[in-house]
Amino acid sequence: MEPLLKIEGLSKSYHDLEVLKGVDLTVNKGEVIAIIGPSGTGKSTLLRCINFLEEPTAGIVSIGEDKVESLPQHKKQRTFHPDITKLRTKVGMVFQHFNLWPHMSVLENVMEGPTLIKKKPKAEALEQAKYLLDLVKMGDKADQYPLSLSGGQQQRVAIARALAMEPELMLFDEVTSALDPQLVGEVLEAMTNLAKKGMTMLVVTHEMRFAENVATRVIFMNEGKIAEEGTPEKVFHNPDNPATKSFLSFSKQ
């Protein structure tokens, strides 16, 4: 299999608090990685360090041929590495909160990035946006505005907006945790369909059924490290780490 993402020795500290402690991870094209674990163990920070929304304290992030090495602490005044922008163009990210532009229609939200940043012709961006909205079953809401939509509908538009930038890797950060329970399924269905189409995905989630049924690999994070990883069958039904067993038994209660 061909590696798409490689993380080497990734660490992140906030003053004296070490959130990530030398994480190593390789993700192949087409893999769906579910990242599970207790709150406060570095899961969301890991995603945010991959596209440098948070600057790692140390470590290397490579996506394809683009490689960014975090600068030593004493050189942090040169915060913006010239290759970060290139790396970010390969990564789409969907957050817990939808962050849609309220003054733009659903269709305009999806078209904005490709036309403004990628300079895609408007007609081409329009066709792409319609296709992506159909993909997440939001084509019939194209002319509506975000505030008229349910949370699940807004989140599906946010997924389409991220996909419009044609990323090679999609990051999902607890995208269902702010939704009412009855809306979670429609978002997970959109993500499942993406996985079936071969999109490479890292998904921080508390939805254990999704992780077990859709992921190709499950990572359990604990205390800023990858404490266990393996197939869903292995991690959910025969974990080696006592912390994994404890977390899963608590999650099933």
Side-chain angles (χ1 to χ4, degrees), residues 73-144:
Q73 201 66 37
H74 66 280
K75 293 185 179 178
K76 288 299 182 186
Q77 65 269 19
R78 191 165 69 87
T79 302
F80 223 84
H81 192 292
D83 290 330
I84 288 177
T85 302
K86 281 180 64 181
L87 183 141
R88 280 180 175 158
T89 63
K90 297 184 175 185
V91 182
M93 189 163 182
V94 184
F95 300 87
Q96 178 178 342
H97 300 289
F98 328 118
N99 301 320
L100 298 176
W101 292 295
H103 63 290
M104 294 183 181
S105 71
V106 163
L107 190 66
E108 289 168 338
N109 262 277
V110 180
M111 290 177 61
E112 181 73 0
T115 53
L116 187 67
I117 298 170
K118 300 191 80 171
K119 309 301 181 186
K120 184 171 283 194
K122 194 169 183 179
E124 190 178 335
L126 176 64
E127 288 306 307
Q128 180 196 44
K130 288 179 177 178
Y131 166 77
L132 292 172
L133 288 171
D134 285 341
L135 185 68
V136 297
K137 298 185 179 179
M138 287 297 294
D140 60 334
K141 307 290 186 184
D143 295 326
Q144 294 194 25

Side-chain angles (χ1 to χ4, degrees), residues 129-185:
K130 288 179 177 178
Y131 166 77
L132 292 172
L133 288 171
D134 285 341
L135 185 68
V136 297
K137 298 185 179 179
M138 287 297 294
D140 60 334
K141 307 290 186 184
D143 295 326
Q144 294 194 25
Y145 285 79
L147 292 180
S148 70
L149 305 178
S150 71
Q153 290 172 331
Q154 289 189 61
Q155 195 60 289
R156 283 185 280 157
V157 174
I159 292 172
R161 184 175 66 174
L163 290 171
M165 297 301 289
E166 299 172 335
E168 296 179 34
L169 171 68
M170 283 287 287
L171 309 177
F172 294 89
D173 188 12
E174 308 237 21
V175 295
T176 59
S177 61
L179 300 178
D180 293 332
Q182 66 268 29
L183 302 176
V184 169

